[in-house]
Amino acid sequence: MAVIAGIEFHKVKQPLNQPFITVLQKVQEREVTIVIVRDAEGREGYGECVAFDTPWYTEETVTGSRFVMEQVLAPLLLGGQMEHPAETACLFSTVKGNHMAKAAVEMAVWDLFAKRQGLPLYEFIGGVYAPIPAGVVVAGEMEDLSQNIKMAIDSGYRRIKLKISPDTDVALLKSLVAANPEISFYADANGSFSGRALEELLAFDQAGFVLIEQPYGEHEWEAHRIARSKMTTPICLDESIHSLEDVKRMAEQQAGDVIVLKMGRLGGWAETLKVVEFCRNEQIGMWVGGMIEFGVSKAHNLALASLPEVKLTGDFSDSGHFWQTDIVSPEIYVEHGKIKLSESPGIGYRLNI
Ligand code: OSB
Ligand code: MG
Protein backbone atom coordinates (compact mmCIF):
# COMPACT_ATOMS: atom_id res chain seq x y z
CA MET A 1 0.00 0.00 0.00
CA ALA A 2 1.22 3.47 -0.81
CA VAL A 3 -0.18 6.94 -0.32
CA ILE A 4 0.63 9.69 -2.77
CA ALA A 5 1.50 12.37 -0.24
CA GLY A 6 2.64 15.13 -2.59
CA ILE A 7 2.74 16.27 -6.18
CA GLU A 8 4.71 19.08 -7.85
CA PHE A 9 4.82 20.56 -11.32
CA HIS A 10 7.84 22.17 -12.99
CA LYS A 11 8.02 24.06 -16.25
CA VAL A 12 10.92 23.13 -18.53
CA LYS A 13 11.54 25.17 -21.67
CA GLN A 14 14.43 24.91 -24.13
CA PRO A 15 15.23 25.80 -27.73
CA LEU A 16 15.79 22.85 -30.09
CA ASN A 17 19.28 22.44 -31.56
CA GLN A 18 17.64 22.52 -35.00
CA PRO A 19 14.06 23.37 -36.01
CA PHE A 20 11.79 20.31 -36.32
CA ILE A 21 9.63 20.80 -39.40
CA THR A 22 6.43 18.93 -40.24
CA VAL A 23 3.46 19.86 -42.40
CA LEU A 24 1.63 20.62 -39.16
CA GLN A 25 4.15 22.84 -37.39
CA LYS A 26 7.69 24.15 -37.26
CA VAL A 27 8.92 23.53 -33.71
CA GLN A 28 11.88 25.64 -32.58
CA GLU A 29 11.36 25.70 -28.86
CA ARG A 30 9.84 23.14 -26.53
CA GLU A 31 8.04 23.56 -23.23
CA VAL A 32 6.91 20.60 -21.15
CA THR A 33 5.69 20.09 -17.60
CA ILE A 34 7.62 17.73 -15.35
CA VAL A 35 5.51 16.01 -12.70
CA ILE A 36 7.02 14.82 -9.41
CA VAL A 37 4.95 12.65 -7.06
CA ARG A 38 6.06 11.71 -3.54
CA ASP A 39 5.09 8.94 -1.17
CA ALA A 40 4.93 9.33 2.62
CA GLU A 41 8.55 8.14 2.90
CA GLY A 42 9.77 10.88 0.56
CA ARG A 43 10.51 8.72 -2.49
CA GLU A 44 9.94 10.45 -5.83
CA GLY A 45 8.43 9.43 -9.15
CA TYR A 46 8.80 11.42 -12.38
CA GLY A 47 6.53 12.05 -15.33
CA GLU A 48 6.59 14.42 -18.31
CA CYS A 49 3.60 15.99 -20.03
CA VAL A 50 4.21 16.02 -23.80
CA ALA A 51 1.42 18.41 -24.83
CA PHE A 52 2.60 21.15 -27.21
CA ASP A 53 2.20 24.95 -26.87
CA THR A 54 -0.72 24.96 -29.30
CA PRO A 55 -3.12 22.16 -30.32
CA TRP A 56 -1.44 21.14 -33.60
CA TYR A 57 -0.81 17.47 -32.85
CA THR A 58 -3.68 16.73 -30.42
CA GLU A 59 -6.21 19.06 -28.75
CA GLU A 60 -4.12 19.41 -25.60
CA THR A 61 -1.78 22.31 -24.83
CA VAL A 62 0.92 23.06 -22.27
CA THR A 63 -1.31 25.55 -20.45
CA GLY A 64 -4.47 23.46 -20.56
CA SER A 65 -2.74 20.28 -19.45
CA ARG A 66 -1.07 22.10 -16.57
CA PHE A 67 -4.49 23.29 -15.39
CA VAL A 68 -5.97 19.79 -15.67
CA MET A 69 -3.04 18.15 -13.85
CA GLU A 70 -2.97 20.71 -11.03
CA GLN A 71 -6.63 21.47 -10.52
CA VAL A 72 -8.37 18.28 -11.61
CA LEU A 73 -6.06 15.24 -11.44
CA ALA A 74 -3.94 16.10 -8.41
CA PRO A 75 -6.93 16.31 -6.01
CA LEU A 76 -8.14 12.89 -7.26
CA LEU A 77 -4.74 11.35 -6.61
CA LEU A 78 -3.57 12.89 -3.35
CA GLY A 79 -4.07 11.12 -0.05
CA GLY A 80 -5.70 7.92 -1.31
CA GLN A 81 -4.34 4.42 -0.63
CA MET A 82 -3.06 2.55 -3.68
CA GLU A 83 -1.83 -0.99 -4.12
CA HIS A 84 -0.82 -0.75 -7.75
CA PRO A 85 -0.09 2.20 -10.09
CA ALA A 86 -2.70 0.91 -12.57
CA GLU A 87 -5.29 2.23 -10.09
CA THR A 88 -4.33 5.77 -11.14
CA ALA A 89 -6.25 5.39 -14.40
CA CYS A 90 -9.34 4.33 -12.39
CA LEU A 91 -9.06 7.42 -10.17
CA PHE A 92 -9.06 9.55 -13.34
CA SER A 93 -11.93 7.71 -15.06
CA THR A 94 -14.42 10.53 -14.40
CA VAL A 95 -12.22 12.99 -16.32
CA LYS A 96 -12.81 13.04 -20.07
CA GLY A 97 -9.99 13.08 -22.60
CA ASN A 98 -6.84 14.97 -21.57
CA HIS A 99 -4.70 11.91 -22.26
CA MET A 100 -1.37 13.72 -22.12
CA ALA A 101 -2.14 15.26 -18.74
CA LYS A 102 -3.31 11.89 -17.37
CA ALA A 103 -0.31 10.07 -18.85
CA ALA A 104 2.18 12.48 -17.24
CA VAL A 105 0.75 12.00 -13.74
CA GLU A 106 0.38 8.26 -14.30
CA MET A 107 3.99 7.96 -15.46
CA ALA A 108 5.17 9.58 -12.23
CA VAL A 109 3.10 7.14 -10.16
CA TRP A 110 4.44 4.09 -12.08
CA ASP A 111 8.02 5.34 -11.61
CA LEU A 112 7.36 5.79 -7.88
CA PHE A 113 5.93 2.27 -7.47
CA ALA A 114 8.84 0.70 -9.34
CA LYS A 115 11.24 2.57 -7.04
CA ARG A 116 9.29 1.44 -3.95
CA GLN A 117 9.91 -2.14 -5.07
CA GLY A 118 13.53 -1.41 -5.93
CA LEU A 119 12.97 -2.49 -9.54
CA PRO A 120 13.95 -0.79 -12.79
CA LEU A 121 10.75 0.33 -14.54
CA TYR A 122 11.39 -1.98 -17.48
CA GLU A 123 11.40 -4.96 -15.14
CA PHE A 124 8.38 -3.69 -13.18
CA ILE A 125 6.29 -3.72 -16.39
CA GLY A 126 7.56 -7.13 -17.54
CA GLY A 127 10.16 -6.01 -20.06
CA VAL A 128 13.42 -7.68 -20.92
CA TYR A 129 16.91 -6.29 -20.48
CA ALA A 130 18.36 -5.66 -23.94
CA PRO A 131 19.90 -2.69 -25.72
CA ILE A 132 17.16 -0.63 -27.36
CA PRO A 133 17.81 0.12 -31.06
CA ALA A 134 17.96 3.86 -31.67
CA GLY A 135 15.93 5.66 -34.35
CA VAL A 136 16.00 9.28 -35.41
CA VAL A 137 13.59 11.57 -37.22
CA VAL A 138 15.17 13.76 -39.89
CA ALA A 139 12.81 16.72 -40.05
CA GLY A 140 14.97 19.75 -40.80
CA GLU A 141 15.00 22.02 -43.84
CA MET A 142 14.53 20.14 -47.16
CA GLU A 143 17.80 21.46 -48.60
CA ASP A 144 19.69 19.87 -45.68
CA LEU A 145 18.06 16.45 -46.15
CA SER A 146 21.00 14.51 -47.63
CA GLN A 147 23.44 16.08 -45.18
CA ASN A 148 21.14 15.36 -42.18
CA ILE A 149 20.73 11.73 -43.27
CA LYS A 150 24.50 11.39 -43.57
CA MET A 151 24.99 12.89 -40.10
CA ALA A 152 22.40 10.52 -38.62
CA ILE A 153 24.14 7.51 -40.18
CA ASP A 154 27.54 8.73 -38.99
CA SER A 155 26.10 9.05 -35.46
CA GLY A 156 25.22 5.34 -35.53
CA TYR A 157 21.50 5.43 -36.32
CA ARG A 158 20.29 2.50 -38.42
CA ARG A 159 16.63 3.53 -38.51
CA ILE A 160 15.70 6.92 -39.92
CA LYS A 161 12.22 8.42 -40.22
CA LEU A 162 11.55 11.01 -42.90
CA LYS A 163 8.59 13.38 -43.00
CA ILE A 164 6.64 13.25 -46.27
CA SER A 165 3.74 15.13 -47.88
CA PRO A 166 2.23 15.35 -51.39
CA ASP A 167 4.85 18.06 -52.08
CA THR A 168 7.81 15.80 -51.32
CA ASP A 169 10.26 15.04 -54.12
CA VAL A 170 9.66 11.26 -54.32
CA ALA A 171 12.54 10.68 -56.75
CA LEU A 172 14.99 12.31 -54.34
CA LEU A 173 13.73 10.19 -51.43
CA LYS A 174 13.90 7.03 -53.53
CA SER A 175 17.52 7.73 -54.42
CA LEU A 176 18.45 8.47 -50.79
CA VAL A 177 16.78 5.27 -49.59
CA ALA A 178 18.43 3.24 -52.37
CA ALA A 179 21.85 4.75 -51.61
CA ASN A 180 21.65 3.52 -47.98
CA PRO A 181 20.53 -0.11 -48.11
CA GLU A 182 21.75 -0.81 -44.55
CA ILE A 183 19.27 1.73 -43.14
CA SER A 184 15.58 1.12 -42.33
CA PHE A 185 13.67 4.16 -43.51
CA TYR A 186 10.17 4.99 -42.20
CA ALA A 187 8.00 7.74 -43.76
CA ASP A 188 5.60 9.88 -41.71
CA ALA A 189 2.95 11.95 -43.52
CA ASN A 190 1.18 13.40 -40.45
CA GLY A 191 -2.14 13.23 -42.31
CA SER A 192 -0.97 15.38 -45.22
CA PHE A 193 -2.52 13.18 -47.96
CA SER A 194 -6.00 14.01 -46.68
CA GLY A 195 -8.26 15.03 -49.57
CA ARG A 196 -5.63 14.13 -52.17
CA ALA A 197 -5.88 11.54 -54.91
CA LEU A 198 -4.79 8.03 -53.90
CA GLU A 199 -2.20 8.06 -56.71
CA GLU A 200 -0.24 10.76 -54.90
CA LEU A 201 0.26 8.38 -51.98
CA LEU A 202 0.86 5.37 -54.25
CA ALA A 203 3.86 7.24 -55.69
CA PHE A 204 5.61 6.50 -52.34
CA ASP A 205 4.77 2.79 -52.35
CA GLN A 206 7.88 1.73 -54.27
CA ALA A 207 10.26 4.10 -52.47
CA GLY A 208 11.60 1.39 -50.16
CA PHE A 209 10.06 2.54 -46.86
CA VAL A 210 9.57 -0.06 -44.13
CA LEU A 211 6.22 1.60 -43.40
CA ILE A 212 4.24 4.76 -44.08
CA GLU A 213 2.84 6.49 -41.01
CA GLN A 214 -0.53 8.28 -40.92
CA PRO A 215 -1.10 9.26 -44.57
CA TYR A 216 -4.59 10.59 -43.82
CA GLY A 217 -6.35 12.47 -41.02
CA GLU A 218 -6.94 10.94 -37.63
CA HIS A 219 -10.60 10.09 -38.31
CA GLU A 220 -10.14 8.95 -41.93
CA TRP A 221 -10.48 5.20 -41.36
CA GLU A 222 -11.95 4.46 -44.78
CA ALA A 223 -9.18 6.31 -46.63
CA HIS A 224 -6.63 4.31 -44.66
CA ARG A 225 -8.44 1.06 -45.43
CA ILE A 226 -8.40 1.79 -49.15
CA ALA A 227 -4.74 2.84 -49.11
CA ARG A 228 -3.80 -0.32 -47.21
CA SER A 229 -5.64 -2.52 -49.72
CA LYS A 230 -3.76 -0.93 -52.65
CA MET A 231 -0.26 -0.71 -51.19
CA THR A 232 2.51 -3.14 -50.41
CA THR A 233 4.20 -0.81 -47.88
CA PRO A 234 2.63 -1.39 -44.44
CA ILE A 235 0.39 1.43 -43.17
CA CYS A 236 1.11 2.59 -39.64
CA LEU A 237 -1.30 4.72 -37.60
CA ASP A 238 -0.19 7.42 -35.14
CA GLU A 239 -2.68 10.32 -34.73
CA SER A 240 -5.67 7.94 -35.20
CA ILE A 241 -4.85 5.87 -32.11
CA HIS A 242 -6.10 7.37 -28.82
CA SER A 243 -7.18 4.18 -27.06
CA LEU A 244 -7.50 0.41 -27.23
CA GLU A 245 -10.89 0.99 -28.91
CA ASP A 246 -9.13 2.76 -31.78
CA VAL A 247 -6.70 -0.14 -32.23
CA LYS A 248 -9.66 -2.56 -32.32
CA ARG A 249 -11.28 -0.37 -34.93
CA MET A 250 -8.11 -0.35 -37.02
CA ALA A 251 -8.02 -4.15 -36.89
CA GLU A 252 -11.74 -4.58 -37.68
CA GLN A 253 -11.68 -2.15 -40.58
CA GLN A 254 -8.27 -3.31 -41.81
CA ALA A 255 -7.20 0.31 -41.80
CA GLY A 256 -3.58 -0.32 -40.83
CA ASP A 257 -0.90 -2.93 -40.16
CA VAL A 258 1.18 -1.27 -37.46
CA ILE A 259 0.70 1.30 -34.68
CA VAL A 260 2.89 3.87 -33.00
CA LEU A 261 2.70 3.64 -29.22
CA LYS A 262 2.72 7.05 -27.55
CA MET A 263 1.87 7.06 -23.91
CA GLY A 264 0.75 10.69 -23.97
CA ARG A 265 -1.72 10.11 -26.79
CA LEU A 266 -3.01 6.87 -25.22
CA GLY A 267 -3.46 8.33 -21.73
CA GLY A 268 -0.73 6.52 -19.81
CA TRP A 269 0.86 3.21 -18.89
CA ALA A 270 -2.32 1.29 -18.09
CA GLU A 271 -4.01 1.88 -21.45
CA THR A 272 -0.72 1.43 -23.31
CA LEU A 273 -0.10 -1.97 -21.73
CA LYS A 274 -3.64 -3.04 -22.73
CA VAL A 275 -2.90 -1.94 -26.28
CA VAL A 276 0.36 -3.90 -26.29
CA GLU A 277 -1.45 -7.05 -25.16
CA PHE A 278 -4.13 -6.66 -27.83
CA CYS A 279 -1.57 -6.04 -30.57
CA ARG A 280 0.44 -9.06 -29.48
CA ASN A 281 -2.64 -11.28 -29.74
CA GLU A 282 -3.70 -9.80 -33.08
CA GLN A 283 -0.16 -9.71 -34.47
CA ILE A 284 -0.25 -5.97 -35.06
CA GLY A 285 3.24 -4.46 -35.28
CA MET A 286 4.24 -1.85 -32.70
CA TRP A 287 6.94 0.69 -32.06
CA VAL A 288 7.40 3.56 -29.62
CA GLY A 289 6.99 7.07 -31.03
CA GLY A 290 8.68 10.28 -29.95
CA MET A 291 7.21 13.66 -29.01
CA ILE A 292 10.31 15.88 -29.10
CA GLU A 293 10.59 15.09 -25.44
CA PHE A 294 13.13 15.31 -22.67
CA GLY A 295 14.79 12.47 -20.81
CA VAL A 296 11.97 11.71 -18.37
CA SER A 297 9.51 10.84 -21.11
CA LYS A 298 12.26 9.13 -23.08
CA ALA A 299 13.19 6.95 -20.10
CA HIS A 300 9.56 5.81 -19.79
CA ASN A 301 9.56 5.13 -23.54
CA LEU A 302 12.73 3.04 -23.27
CA ALA A 303 11.07 0.88 -20.60
CA LEU A 304 8.07 0.45 -22.93
CA ALA A 305 10.34 -0.57 -25.81
CA SER A 306 11.85 -3.29 -23.59
CA LEU A 307 8.64 -5.33 -23.92
CA PRO A 308 9.43 -8.22 -26.26
CA GLU A 309 6.21 -7.62 -28.23
CA VAL A 310 7.45 -4.18 -29.29
CA LYS A 311 9.59 -5.36 -32.18
CA LEU A 312 9.97 -2.42 -34.55
CA THR A 313 12.54 0.29 -33.84
CA GLY A 314 11.10 3.46 -32.32
CA ASP A 315 11.84 7.20 -32.34
CA PHE A 316 14.77 6.98 -29.93
CA SER A 317 17.34 9.68 -30.53
CA ASP A 318 19.81 10.63 -27.82
CA SER A 319 19.61 13.60 -25.45
CA GLY A 320 21.99 15.64 -27.61
CA HIS A 321 19.85 15.32 -30.73
CA PHE A 322 17.30 17.91 -29.62
CA TRP A 323 18.91 19.49 -26.55
CA GLN A 324 22.01 21.35 -25.55
CA THR A 325 21.58 19.79 -22.10
CA ASP A 326 18.90 17.28 -21.17
CA ILE A 327 17.14 17.44 -17.80
CA VAL A 328 18.21 13.93 -16.77
CA SER A 329 21.54 12.57 -15.68
CA PRO A 330 23.20 10.60 -16.91
CA GLU A 331 22.08 11.82 -20.33
CA ILE A 332 20.65 9.32 -22.78
CA TYR A 333 23.18 8.41 -25.42
CA VAL A 334 23.40 6.21 -28.48
CA GLU A 335 26.31 3.82 -28.81
CA HIS A 336 26.71 1.65 -31.91
CA GLY A 337 23.09 2.43 -32.82
CA LYS A 338 21.68 1.31 -29.47
CA ILE A 339 20.64 2.80 -26.12
CA LYS A 340 21.33 0.95 -22.87
CA LEU A 341 18.46 0.48 -20.43
CA SER A 342 19.20 1.85 -16.99
CA GLU A 343 19.28 -0.84 -14.29
CA SER A 344 18.64 1.63 -11.47
CA PRO A 345 15.20 1.56 -9.81
CA GLY A 346 12.29 3.26 -11.58
CA ILE A 347 13.13 5.20 -14.73
CA GLY A 348 16.75 5.01 -13.62
CA TYR A 349 17.67 8.64 -14.27
CA ARG A 350 18.14 11.55 -11.87
CA LEU A 351 16.35 14.81 -12.53
CA ASN A 352 18.30 18.07 -12.96
CA ILE A 353 15.76 20.88 -12.92
O1 OSB B 1 4.18 12.51 -35.90
O2 OSB B 1 5.48 11.18 -34.91
C1 OSB B 1 5.03 12.31 -35.07
C2 OSB B 1 7.05 14.71 -32.95
C3 OSB B 1 6.06 15.50 -32.44
C4 OSB B 1 4.75 15.28 -32.80
C5 OSB B 1 4.43 14.26 -33.69
C6 OSB B 1 5.45 13.44 -34.19
C7 OSB B 1 6.76 13.69 -33.83
C8 OSB B 1 7.85 12.88 -34.36
C9 OSB B 1 8.87 12.28 -33.43
O3 OSB B 1 7.94 12.64 -35.54
C10 OSB B 1 10.06 13.12 -33.12
C11 OSB B 1 10.91 12.57 -32.00
O4 OSB B 1 10.67 12.90 -30.84
O5 OSB B 1 11.86 11.81 -32.26
MG1 MG C 1 3.78 10.48 -36.54
Side-chain angles (χ1 to χ4, degrees):
M1 279 296 213
V3 176
I4 307 297
I7 186 163
E8 269 175 35
F9 302 93
H10 296 266
K11 167 177 158 172
V12 169
K13 189 173 183 173
Q14 284 191 29
L16 271 63
N17 288 333
Q18 266 192 31
F20 186 92
I21 303 166
T22 73
V23 286
L24 305 172
Q25 190 80 7
K26 179 171 182 172
V27 182
Q28 293 179 280
E29 192 177 53
R30 182 68 162 121
E31 179 178 337
V32 299
T33 306
I34 297 299
V35 183
I36 304 178
V37 295
R38 283 200 182 81
D39 64 9
E41 294 79 39
R43 291 189 201 85
E44 293 183 343
Y46 306 135
E48 176 174 338
C49 184
V50 295
F52 289 98
D53 288 355
T54 60
W56 61 266
Y57 174 72
T58 65
E59 290 91 338
E60 290 179 89
T61 59
V62 172
T63 312
S65 59
R66 175 79 178 249
F67 163 77
V68 170
M69 288 189 288
E70 253 177 345
Q71 304 296 321
V72 183
L73 303 179
L76 293 172
L77 183 71
L78 286 172
Q81 297 273 341
M82 287 170 78
E83 276 188 56
H84 193 275
E87 291 162 32
T88 318
C90 307
L91 293 175
F92 296 164
S93 64
T94 54
V95 181
K96 302 221 167 155
N98 291 284
H99 286 187
M100 292 173 173
K102 288 175 180 171
V105 178
E106 238 205 63
M107 279 179 200
V109 177
W110 282 69
D111 179 31
L112 177 66
F113 270 77
K115 285 170 177 161
R116 286 176 62 87
Q117 294 198 8
L119 291 175
L121 186 58
Y122 79 83
E123 205 174 322
F124 184 80
I125 61 149
V128 174
Y129 187 80
I132 304 298
V136 72
V137 185
V138 169
E141 302 288 353
M142 255 337 260
E143 57 266 31
D144 301 334
L145 184 65
S146 313
Q147 183 60 25
N148 285 339
I149 289 175
K150 187 183 177 307
M151 274 164 49
I153 295 171
D154 291 346
S155 308
Y157 292 102
R158 289 295 172 267
R159 194 235 61 170
I160 297 177
K161 182 168 116 179
L162 305 178
K163 295 290 186 179
I164 62 164
S165 80
D167 300 328
T168 302
D169 180 346
V170 190
L172 171 66
L173 257 50
K174 257 188 196 165
S175 69
L176 289 168
V177 171
N180 296 287
E182 76 286 15
I183 304 297
S184 295
F185 283 95
Y186 296 3
D188 186 2
N190 287 110
S192 58
F193 289 82
S194 182
R196 310 292 287 244
L198 178 62
E199 288 65 37
E200 295 190 68
L201 179 62
L202 294 181
F204 291 82
D205 198 23
Q206 303 306 323
F209 291 114
V210 172
L211 52 83
I212 297 185
E213 189 183 333
Q214 199 72 37
Y216 301 106
E218 66 177 298
H219 303 298
E220 295 183 284
W221 299 97
E222 181 62 7
H224 283 121
R225 184 191 68 75
I226 294 169
R228 182 179 176 274
S229 72
K230 304 279 183 209
M231 294 176 73
T232 56
T233 312
I235 298 290
C236 168
L237 295 185
D238 173 1
E239 283 91 330
S240 294
I241 307 295
H242 301 274
S243 62
L244 175 58
E245 282 305 308
D246 288 334
V247 186
K248 288 183 177 168
R249 185 170 184 171
M250 181 185 94
E252 268 161 30
Q253 301 193 7
Q254 306 199 324
D257 307 280
V258 174
I259 64 159
V260 188
L261 299 166
K262 286 188 184 174
M263 235 156 345
R265 201 190 59 234
L266 286 165
W269 270 110
E271 186 76 4
T272 303
L273 293 176
K274 285 184 206 160
V275 165
V276 169
E277 191 190 346
F278 179 83
C279 289
R280 181 189 59 214
N281 295 335
E282 299 294 317
Q283 296 178 355
I284 295 169
M286 289 173 269
W287 51 281
V288 179
M291 286 292 286
I292 317 178
E293 65 255 279
F294 292 91
V296 171
S297 180
K298 206 148 262 178
H300 281 272
N301 286 346
L302 286 166
L304 177 58
S306 80
L307 293 171
E309 302 89 327
V310 180
K311 294 200 170 81
L312 292 159
T313 301
D315 290 337
F316 285 113
S317 53
D318 58 18
S319 291
H321 179 68
F322 289 124
W323 319 118
Q324 197 73 45
T325 313
D326 203 341
I327 59 169
V328 293
S329 65
E331 292 212 341
I332 293 166
Y333 65 97
V334 172
E335 205 176 19
H336 306 302
K338 305 242 162 86
I339 300 173
K340 263 205 183 123
L341 284 168
S342 171
E343 294 200 86
S344 301
I347 63 168
Y349 292 86
R350 290 183 306 280
L351 196 56
N352 289 326
I353 52 173

